[in-house]
Amino acid sequence: EIVMTQSPATLSVSPGERATLSCRASQSVSSNLAWYQQKPGQAPRLLMYAASSRAPGIPARFSGSGSGTEFSLTISSLQSEDFAVYYCHQYDNWPPAFGGGTKVEIK
Amino acid sequence: EVQLLESGGDFIEPGGSVRLSCAASGFTFSRYGMSWVRQAPGKGLEWVSTISGGGGSTHYADSVRGRFTISRDNSKNTLYLQVNTLRVEDTAVYYCAKEGALTTSLPDAFDIWGQGTMVTVSS
C-alpha cells in the first residue's frame, strides 16, 4: 500500500506571492498523480492530473511537476480564491491514496 | 452539465445500515468508473470504493471491505453504496466521484465530484 505524505501541513503566504506544495509517495507512482483543491464546505475540485496536466478551466498560475516519488504543485501568484486545502492523490495502483493535505492560508 | 448528486445520508446508531445513492447526469454514465470517497469531520480525504463502468469489477479499502458494497444501475445512471455494520469511525461526508478516463482496470483521477452526503454514526 502506497503512503502519500504532503508538506508542509500549513503554508502561510501573502497574496501575490508564490506557493510551492510538496507531495511524496512511499514508492514510485510514475506520473499517476493528481492534485485537488478544497474550500470549506465544498467538494474537492480537480486541479492537475498526470502530475503536470491542468484540468479544464484551471488557471495557468497552477502548475505541477514531478514523477516517481516526488511531486510539487506551484501557484505562481496567489489570488484570494486560492486560499484552501490542497490534496495529492496517487492513482497508479490499488488502493488509491490521498495525502494528508496542505492548508494554504493568508499570511 | 456534468453533475453528481448524492443522497441517503442520515444519523445512524452503531451497527446500523444505510444506502447512499449518487445520481449522475450530463455524461455517458456506463462508460466511466465511479468511486466513493469519504471525509471525516475536520480530516482529510479517504478513498472508500470503486466500481468499473459495467459494474463487473469492484475494489474496496481495507477499512470497509466486508461491510460496504458498491453497485450501480446504468439504466438509472445511479451509483450506490450499501453501508452495513456502521461504526462511529465511519462518520463522514461521503462523496461520489467520477473517474476521468474511460473505464479501465486501474484507478484514475477524479474529475467530477458530488456535493457529498453526511453519515453520522452515534448512539
Side-chain angles (χ1 to χ4, degrees):
Chain A
E1 181 173 325
I2 297 173
V3 176
M4 306 301 292
T5 303
Q6 290 187 241
S7 62
T10 303
L11 188 60
S12 298
V13 186
S14 298
E17 288 188 341
R18 181 187 188 93
T20 300
L21 290 63
S22 296
C23 175
R24 174 177 292 177
S26 60
Q27 64 189 72
S28 177
V29 298
S30 186
S31 294
N32 295 311
L33 184 106
W35 290 93
Y36 303 87
Q37 176 193 67
Q38 187 179 34
K39 297 179 181 179
Q42 296 185 17
R45 176 176 71 145
L46 178 66
L47 295 177
M48 313 291 301
Y49 63 97
S52 60
S53 297
R54 270 189 303 275
I58 301 302
R61 64 181 180 271
F62 290 91
S63 62
S65 64
S67 66
T69 62
E70 300 285 343
F71 301 88
S72 63
L73 174 72
T74 299
I75 311 170
S76 60
S77 176
L78 270 156
Q79 306 298 302
S80 57
E81 62 266 31
D82 300 335
F83 292 96
V85 179
Y86 293 83
Y87 295 95
C88 62
H89 160 220
Q90 76 81 12
Y91 54 93
D92 188 64
N93 54 29
W94 301 103
F98 293 91
T102 291
K103 181 180 181 181
V104 177
E105 64 176 25
I106 300 175
K107 187 174 182 180
Chain B
E1 179 189 6
V2 178
Q3 196 168 7
L4 300 172
L5 186 62
E6 301 95 334
S7 60
D10 206 346
F11 189 101
I12 311 290
E13 291 188 346
S17 299
V18 68
R19 188 175 82 157
L20 308 181
S21 300
C22 171
S25 60
F27 64 101
T28 306
F29 183 66
S30 62
R31 299 185 73 187
Y32 292 90
M34 295 292 297
S35 296
W36 290 96
V37 176
R38 68 183 180 183
Q39 186 170 37
K43 303 297 184 182
L45 301 171
E46 179 188 14
W47 170 77
V48 172
S49 183
T50 298
I51 187 168
S52 61
S57 176
T58 58
H59 299 269
Y60 296 94
D62 288 345
S63 58
V64 308
R65 187 175 290 111
R67 300 188 300 122
F68 290 14
T69 302
I70 192 171
S71 62
R72 64 192 297 161
D73 185 337
N74 286 344
S75 69
K76 295 181 178 179
N77 289 348
T78 302
L79 174 72
Y80 302 102
L81 186 68
Q82 178 66 43
V83 182
N84 298 329
T85 321
L86 277 161
R87 305 168 179 167
V88 171
E89 55 266 32
D90 294 321
T91 294
V93 174
Y94 285 74
Y95 295 102
C96 69
K98 169 186 168 292
E99 296 199 331
L102 295 176
T103 188
T104 69
S105 60
L106 293 172
D108 199 4
F110 303 127
D111 64 345
I112 302 294
W113 296 66
Q115 87 293 345
T117 188
M118 183 72 200
V119 173
T120 303
V121 185
S122 176
S123 54

